[in-house]
Amino acid sequence: MSGSSDVADLTRAGSDIPAGRNLAVRGVFFACALLTVLTTFGIVVVLFDGALGFFREETLFGLLSGVLGGVLAGSPAEAWAALRTGLGTQVTVREFLFGVEWSPIIRPRSYGVLPLLWGTMLIVVGSALIAIPVGTATAIYLSEYADRRVRKVVKPTLEVLAGVPTIVYGFFALSFITPIIQRFFPGTGTFNVAAGAIVVGVMIIPMVSSLSEDAMSAVPDELRNAAYGLGATKFEVSTDVVVPASLSGVMASYILAISRAIGETMAVTLAVGMQPNITLNPLEQAQTMTAYMVQIGISDVSVGSIGYQSLFAVGLLLFVMTLGMNLLSLWIKGRYQEAYR
Amino acid sequence: MSDSYTVGDERENEQDGAAADRADGRNVSTPDPVDETTGETTPSIQHIADADTVIEAADLTVHYGDVEALKPVNVRLPAQEVTAIIGPSGCGKSTFLRCINRMNDMVDAARVGGELRFRGKNVYDEDVDPVALRRKIGMVFQKPNPFPKSIYDNVAYGLEIQGYDGDMDARVEEALRGAALWDEVKDQLDESGLDLSGGQQQRLCIARAIAPDPEVILMDEPASALDPVATAKVEDLIDELAEEYTVVIVTHNMQQAARISDKTAVFLTGGQLVEFGETNRIFENPENQRVEDYITGKFG
Ligand SMILES: Nc1ncnc2c1ncn2[C@@H]1O[C@H](COP(=O)(O)OP(=O)(O)OP(=O)(O)O)[C@@H](O)[C@H]1O
Ligand SMILES: [Mg+2]
């Protein structure tokens, strides 16, 4: 310590704590946070701009550079032409959202995204039909029935299941689920919606069960005891007290799981196929929005072509859907939270 | 014959003897055995006529893991009276209460020994369904804990799970009247039970407990979270409940025990039931020195 004076020296100058360190630490943390925000922002900008290129023939950057090039070359006509093509409509939003034919690469071209949306919806509904009941039941079991030792084993196991790379699930569907389906329905092809829905369903069970279990465990024991004290069975306590009291968290887990199913890519690309198809038959092949994006990503369409641009339009739609789901889950959590105190 | 007894302090140091007693298969309803170490008779539970006895503990013990929370308890609680259980914190009052309707089943670490008889039947027998037991024994907890449901649904819940298909509206009204809450909530039965004040919530919990018409109502410090006005209301209520029900109430508050109970059981540190008897006598003239010290505030 500085000096030998009897008065305590509490000033910065007198302390041996390096003054600069605090600021530096703060700066590093801030830079990291900023990087994340900027990255997210950059992705959104690229997505929007690329989608603009799909609907308007030219991205905002392309438009600006065309016009600027004309102006700099001293040719107003060139600039005007660039502006006109840049603002011209290539695909109407209406055709994109409501058209029932999707063929942006192969002529005759058409740009209705509904077949892809339909494929995604089939996977979402099918996987939700599996994951919601199984995941909820698992959560109730873990929270209300399982004794501590079982929970200690099962919960981490489920979380491992959530960590398996999704491409592994895809191979699992191809090599295990589809053959079983084929045994029961011999005509089924290698790619089919059912296998995809099942495997995505299995994939999102841990999400439902783990988040729901967290919500259920947070229900205060006082409520359980109130019901037990009235002579409720364990099942009645679970269904009448625990589930209603944790409903906001349980619903949020469903929505996050559905959001995950919407965005799921590798497993459905492998299992469901590459054929846009509006069908109700789960044994047929189809194509989800994500699988289409994989297809374009690995194909040889040239940058700037409409096939390439369609990638951004589909990506934007996907982004809006998952964002909407996440906002919905936040809203539900905020709106219905604290049913108990 | 007096209907009270006292347990000597010596008992604190004779767990081994008590364990041996149990190993012998000693039945508490046999005539008073003589304590080997002191020559003193151990407490008899024969004093109260059988017909009046609803709850009877016979060498009832509870361990949480290796920790002994209740030393062998022998007591008979009479019907249609209020029995108060008092004693310092951690002496096992709640533990004893939870034995009566087997709420201890929910505590993984809890192990119960001896017998707890409800109308002569040991509730810890293999063939007893705790769910059926709890439908005969209602419980009110320390912290008001209404379900996050409407006032009506809170009161109706116990009847619903029992499959009651009579006039539910009438039963709900009856229970709310019984809990002295009807006039305050009759116009807002559809509103959440959580919107009531703490005192109202606790009376709602009492209504919920009495709606299925149990024989016994257990209360664990039901007024400790309430203000004096709400406490007074709950105390009045307990008085009325005793006309119909057998009430066992745990309380920290000795004035409250003196005011509302007919019988008092005093537990002291170590999970020992030290004295049981008429409330008036216990408070005016306790037989046990430690009970006197506790009641007069010398310790506890
Ligand atoms: N779930 C439990 N696990 C382990 N020990 C417990 C548990 N519940 C109670 N105990 C112990 O058993 C003893 C008696 O507890 P109990 O809750 O019955 O006391 P109490 O008389 O009701 O106290 P209070 O007046 O503070 O409510 C205490 O020493 C306590 O630490
Ligand atoms: Mg207690």
Side-chain angles (χ1 to χ4, degrees), chain A residues 287-301:
Chain A
Q287 186 173 42
T288 64
M289 296 159 70
T290 49
Y292 171 74
M293 294 175 72
V294 171
Q295 186 187 3
I296 294 300
I298 60 177
S299 76
D300 52 3
V301 296

Side-chain angles (χ1 to χ4, degrees), chain A residues 314-336:
Chain A
V314 175
L316 180 63
L317 182 59
L318 204 56
F319 171 72
V320 169
M321 286 168 67
T322 46
L323 181 70
M325 283 301 194
N326 283 287
L327 292 180
L328 184 65
S329 102
L330 278 181
W331 180 78
I332 287 182
K333 274 193 118 161
R335 173 74 181 72
Y336 294 105

Side-chain angles (χ1 to χ4, degrees), chain A residues 83-205:
Chain A
L83 189 65
R84 286 203 41 181
T85 42
L87 289 180
T89 300
Q90 180 168 248
V91 177
T92 61
V93 172
R94 194 193 155 125
E95 178 184 1
F96 178 69
L97 287 182
F98 300 107
V100 293
E101 206 67 58
W102 180 253
S103 177
I105 310 169
I106 299 158
R107 284 168 212 278
R109 299 180 195 236
S110 49
Y111 307 103
V113 80
L114 280 185
L116 298 183
L117 199 60
W118 184 260
T120 295
M121 281 304 143
L122 284 180
I123 296 298
V124 165
V125 171
S127 60
L129 283 178
I130 293 166
I132 287 180
V134 176
T136 311
T138 307
I140 292 176
Y141 170 74
L142 286 177
S143 153
E144 304 303 309
Y145 286 81
D147 65 46
R148 214 174 299 137
R149 272 166 301 149
V150 176
R151 192 173 336 172
K152 254 193 194 141
V153 177
V154 175
K155 237 198 146 183
T157 310
L158 276 169
E159 269 141 32
V160 167
L161 203 60
V164 174
T166 62
I167 188 125
V168 174
Y169 280 101
F171 277 113
F172 177 71
L174 277 184
S175 60
F176 187 75
I177 299 177
T178 297
I180 291 177
I181 295 174
Q182 282 167 332
R183 187 168 308 157
F184 289 99
F185 304 97
T188 311
T190 310
F191 302 112
N192 59 82
V193 172
I198 291 171
V199 85
V200 174
V202 171
M203 195 185 305
I204 61 178
I205 285 173

Side-chain angles (χ1 to χ4, degrees), chain A residues 246-271:
Chain A
S246 58
L247 203 58
S248 67
V250 173
M251 294 300 278
S253 83
Y254 294 169
I255 287 168
L256 288 179
I258 285 173
S259 165
R260 166 96 194 269
I262 291 174
E264 170 41 40
T265 307
M266 285 326 294
V268 293
T269 306
L270 281 183

Side-chain angles (χ1 to χ4, degrees), chain A residues 147-148 221-234 236-237 240-241 244-245 338-341, chain B residues 103 106 108 131 134-135 137-139 141 143 145-149 157-158 161-162 194-195 201 208-209 212:
Chain A
D147 65 46
R148 214 174 299 137
D221 273 343
E222 282 100 63
L223 285 184
R224 289 188 184 85
N225 287 340
Y228 281 124
L230 285 165
T233 61
K234 207 155 233 195
E236 285 161 344
V237 171
D240 299 345
V241 176
E338 303 288 282
Y340 47 83
R341 282 176 198 159
Chain B
M103 288 297 277
M106 253 69 79
D108 285 345
V131 168
R134 291 181 201 130
R135 289 179 179 188
I137 302 180
M139 189 163 202
F141 299 81
K143 220 175 105 201
N145 56 355
F147 299 124
K149 300 175 190 258
Y157 185 71
I161 56 177
Q162 292 188 22
L194 292 173
D195 293 342
Q201 286 189 13
R208 181 176 66 185

